[in-house]
Amino acid sequence: MNIFILEDNLIQQQRLERIIKELSLKHQIRYRSLFSTAKPDHLLSHIENVADHQLYFLDLEIKHEEHKGLTVAQEIRKKDPYGTIVFVTTHSELAPITFEYRVAALDFIEKELQEEEFIRKVEDCLLIANSLRTIPVSPDNFSFENKYTSFQLPFSDILYFETMEIAHKIRLITKSKVLDFYAELNEIADYDERLFRCHRAFVVNLANIRSIDKKNKLIMFDHNESCPVSRRLQKETIEKMKALK
């Protein structure tokens, strides 16, 4: 789980960071990163590779734009439909409007609350978000965990995996995003019968293959994506693809 904070008041930003760190230590909640920013674009650019449950604390008003946090929440939903969104604001009167934006926010925390109550509400959100980590994001999901990484995403989104120049680093290409992580290609191929190592450097999702270009030794997917298939494994790839369908 990654935790994101969008807050343009530095004092409030640091306050929320401190509370999250203290509560995470108290409850032994593990998170990969705690990212804070005052810039909506900066936050959105950092969630491109999100593939599991994430937690977002968003201020509603950014740079005197009262509804900016709501529009950011809508953009988050496009990138991360399973993320947990919490609004933190001084504008309690805007709470009813959040429903109009259909971003499914978990809570609405007022900054003016007594410190004890403010901490309690942040604590509740942290505990709920942490509990969601064990719930699959899809009935048919790719849930991967090793000593280096942990993430999950719908299996139907996966196109292929490829090795990178950095040792043990894998790049996952999906229909909507790219995710880099550390693993061995063999452990990916062994995960499910729909995954097949068609090349020494590539594992494909057989269910998403559109066609195979035998002449150029390429596997074709939708979204103009393709990857190599070795001459030796071309026949077996075709057979497995047909058997699956």
Side-chain angles (χ1 to χ4, degrees):
M1 180 172 70
N2 292 320
I3 302 174
F4 298 89
I5 297 172
L6 177 63
E7 172 61 71
D8 62 352
N9 183 304
L10 184 58
I11 293 175
Q12 292 291 346
Q13 187 183 110
Q14 293 174 340
R15 173 198 187 197
L16 195 49
E17 282 185 5
R18 173 180 52 79
I19 291 171
I20 290 171
K21 289 176 181 177
E22 290 174 354
L23 290 173
S24 296
L25 188 62
K26 173 185 175 182
H27 294 288
Q28 297 185 320
I29 295 173
R30 295 190 305 165
Y31 56 85
R32 287 199 294 274
S33 68
L34 174 57
F35 179 77
S36 298
T37 182
K39 300 178 179 180
D41 290 345
H42 201 191
L43 183 147
L44 292 171
S45 70
H46 275 72
I47 62 172
E48 288 291 346
N49 291 342
V50 165
D52 61 348
H53 292 290
Q54 313 297 326
L55 176 58
Y56 304 88
F57 289 95
L58 308 177
D59 188 7
L60 277 184
E61 181 178 346
I62 302 294
K63 303 299 182 184
H64 307 296
E65 291 186 52
E66 275 192 356
H67 295 184
K68 188 63 177 179
L70 289 167
T71 58
V72 172
Q74 287 182 319
E75 291 303 312
I76 288 172
R77 277 284 168 257
K78 294 176 184 177
K79 294 172 174 285
D80 183 11
Y82 309 104
T84 299
I85 294 175
V86 178
F87 292 113
V88 185
T89 184
T90 56
H91 293 281
S92 58
E93 74 280 3
L94 295 179
I97 299 176
T98 61
F99 296 101
E100 298 177 13
Y101 282 74
R102 293 180 172 85
V103 294
L106 173 64
D107 204 351
F108 191 98
I109 305 176
E110 296 184 48
K111 296 177 185 177
E112 291 86 355
L113 289 172
Q114 293 293 320
E115 189 70 2
E116 184 177 338
E117 178 66 7
F118 184 88
I119 293 172
R120 185 191 67 76
K121 290 180 77 69
V122 173
E123 183 174 31
D124 288 345
C125 292
L126 272 172
L127 291 172
I128 290 171
N130 189 56
S131 70
L132 292 174
R133 296 172 65 177
T134 61
I135 300 175
V137 298
S138 167
D140 182 24
N141 71 302
F142 178 80
S143 181
F144 185 80
E145 183 171 2
N146 61 15
K147 63 181 179 179
Y148 304 110
T149 189
S150 174
F151 67 90
Q152 57 178 304
L153 75 168
F155 208 101
S156 59
D157 283 354
I158 296 172
L159 298 180
Y160 63 89
F161 302 81
E162 64 178 318
T163 57
M164 300 177 67
E165 292 181 358
I166 301 173
H168 311 299
K169 196 166 188 179
I170 303 293
R171 172 160 289 170
L172 166 58
I173 308 297
T174 78
K175 293 178 180 178
S176 59
K177 65 188 72 170
V178 175
L179 175 67
D180 296 342
F181 62 100
Y182 286 93
E184 297 290 343
L185 209 56
N186 278 336
E187 60 183 325
I188 300 293
D190 292 339
Y191 181 89
D192 190 280
E193 64 177 1
R194 289 167 289 183
L195 297 176
F196 179 63
R197 191 164 184 171
C198 63
H199 184 283
R200 62 182 178 81
F202 290 84
V203 167
V204 295
N205 180 3
L206 295 165
N208 275 334
I209 294 176
R210 189 185 71 207
S211 62
I212 296 179
D213 183 340
K214 296 180 181 179
K215 180 180 179 181
N216 295 306
K217 298 188 288 295
L218 286 175
I219 291 176
M220 312 302 295
F221 304 93
D222 290 335
H223 306 280
N224 296 315
E225 291 286 351
S226 65
C227 77
V229 56
S230 71
R231 185 184 301 276
R232 180 177 61 85
L233 293 170
Q234 193 175 101
K235 181 180 178 182
E236 187 176 358
T237 302
I238 295 172
E239 290 173 350
K240 286 185 174 292
M241 180 183 69
K242 289 181 177 178
L244 186 65
K245 294 181 177 179

